[in-house]
Amino acid sequence: MRHVVSAMFLASLAGSAAAEGHMDRGAYLVTSLMACGNCHSPMGPEGPIADQALGGRLVEKNPQFTAIAPNITPASRVSEWSDAELGRAIREGLRPDGTVIGPPMPIPMYRNISDDDLAAIVAYLRSVPEVEHDPGTSEYNIPLPPAYGPPVESVTAPEPAVNAEYGEYVAQLAHCMECHSPLTPQGPDLGENMGRGGFEFHGPWGTVVSPNLTNHPEGLAEYSDAEIKTMVTQGVRPDGEAMQPPMPYGNFAGISEQDLDALVAYLRTVPGKPDM
């Protein structure tokens, strides 16, 4: 019996460690790599308002749409959704009632979130402080698709490593190309013009146009790896000029060194094209 109790105790410790690691991964994804609060938190001139984190806000208003990122804390309607329904909304852009979540929610990238990472994200969102805030409802003057693709059955992430394959997965989680591609009436152009910049963002900071991320002289080709990493995590150009929001430098400062190196490795593979 002593051996049985010992085994059960060790199993309990292992389960607790796994659960803690699961939550840590979810926190890392939501608060750092995916920077969910950059869209889903009320914004001031200096960035997201900390005590209203994930409470929702107006993200973008243009002739194509008025995009409202909803409150995703446990005080919102997502508390009534099952974990599977919340996961489906994040990864496939479909609410429980079957309606489609429109741009700029980066569903084309998020469809590649692995099953394990999706579960960690949902678990973490269930744990965040409640924020009582109703930011309103999105309105679209463009046709939305009935879905962003067939149902996602299962996704496994590439093995973490400093290479372009894993770096592409990191870029998808960070939805780099969603913001750094030109806006079309149907949302960001992730085809021929992916990564060429030109997406205008409007907010308390004024109007900011996303720059070119391709491997072109007008993009990233002439920057060193260290310079790219400093721009991503600190918002400072090589000449010392401070970069503007809405790039979530504060969130990206928490990206792990391995993920950051992998991201740069991927960006070096993006075919070079001039600015839009």
Side-chain angles (χ1 to χ4, degrees), residues 8 14 26-27 39 43 78 91 93 97-98 100 104 143 148 156 158 167 175 230 236-237 244 254 266 271:
M8 291 175 63
C39 283
M43 188 78 71
V78 302
R91 189 160 69 177
D97 64 3
V100 174
Y148 290 93
T156 301
H175 48 89
T230 297
V236 178
R237 294 190 173 89
Q244 294 179 289
Y266 165 68

Side-chain angles (χ1 to χ4, degrees), residues 150-201:
V152 177
E153 298 298 333
S154 183
V155 179
T156 301
E159 191 68 26
V162 179
N163 57 37
E165 180 188 12
Y166 183 67
E168 183 177 14
Y169 182 69
V170 171
Q172 289 167 338
L173 291 175
H175 48 89
C176 304
M177 296 306 170
E178 180 250 352
C179 289
H180 287 269
S181 299
L183 183 66
T184 75
Q186 284 71 46
D189 182 353
L190 300 175
E192 182 69 19
N193 293 313
M194 185 183 78
R196 293 179 69 181
F199 196 143
E200 290 189 2
F201 293 87

Side-chain angles (χ1 to χ4, degrees), residues 4 116 127 138 146 151 201 205 211 263 265 268:
V4 173
D116 289 344
S127 76
S138 299
F201 293 87
W205 52 80
L263 174 62
R268 294 300 192 195

Side-chain angles (χ1 to χ4, degrees), residues 91-109:
R91 189 160 69 177
E92 299 186 53
L94 291 172
R95 301 181 185 91
D97 64 3
T99 58
V100 174
I101 298 171
M105 181 71 170
I107 301 302
M109 273 75 61

Side-chain angles (χ1 to χ4, degrees), residues 3 32 34 42 50 65 68 80 144 150 170 217 228 235-236 274:
H3 293 293
S32 293
M34 295 170 67
F65 52 75
I68 305 290
E80 301 172 1
L144 296 179
V170 171
I228 293 172
V236 178

Side-chain angles (χ1 to χ4, degrees), residues 21-103:
H22 188 65
M23 290 295 288
D24 286 347
R25 177 64 176 173
Y28 170 69
L29 292 171
V30 171
T31 66
S32 293
L33 186 54
M34 295 170 67
C36 300
N38 201 50
C39 283
H40 285 273
S41 298
M43 188 78 71
E46 303 302 319
I49 300 172
D51 63 0
Q52 297 181 44
L54 304 178
R57 73 174 178 93
L58 169 66
V59 175
E60 180 64 24
K61 186 177 178 67
N62 59 51
Q64 283 80 41
F65 52 75
T66 298
I68 305 290
N71 184 337
I72 52 174
T73 76
S76 71
R77 63 176 172 169
V78 302
S79 65
E80 301 172 1
W81 299 358
S82 69
D83 288 355
E85 288 170 338
L86 179 55
R88 187 180 185 219
I90 293 168
R91 189 160 69 177
E92 299 186 53
L94 291 172
R95 301 181 185 91
D97 64 3
T99 58
V100 174
I101 298 171

Side-chain angles (χ1 to χ4, degrees), residues 161-168 170-171 176-177 213-215 220 223-233 255-270:
V162 179
N163 57 37
E165 180 188 12
Y166 183 67
E168 183 177 14
V170 171
C176 304
M177 296 306 170
L213 287 190
T214 72
N215 199 34
L220 299 178
Y223 292 116
S224 70
D225 290 1
E227 288 170 339
I228 293 172
K229 290 192 282 187
T230 297
M231 288 189 290
V232 170
T233 62
I255 296 177
S256 72
E257 195 64 30
Q258 182 184 59
D259 284 359
L260 197 58
D261 287 341
L263 174 62
V264 173
Y266 165 68
L267 291 174
R268 294 300 192 195
T269 70
V270 178

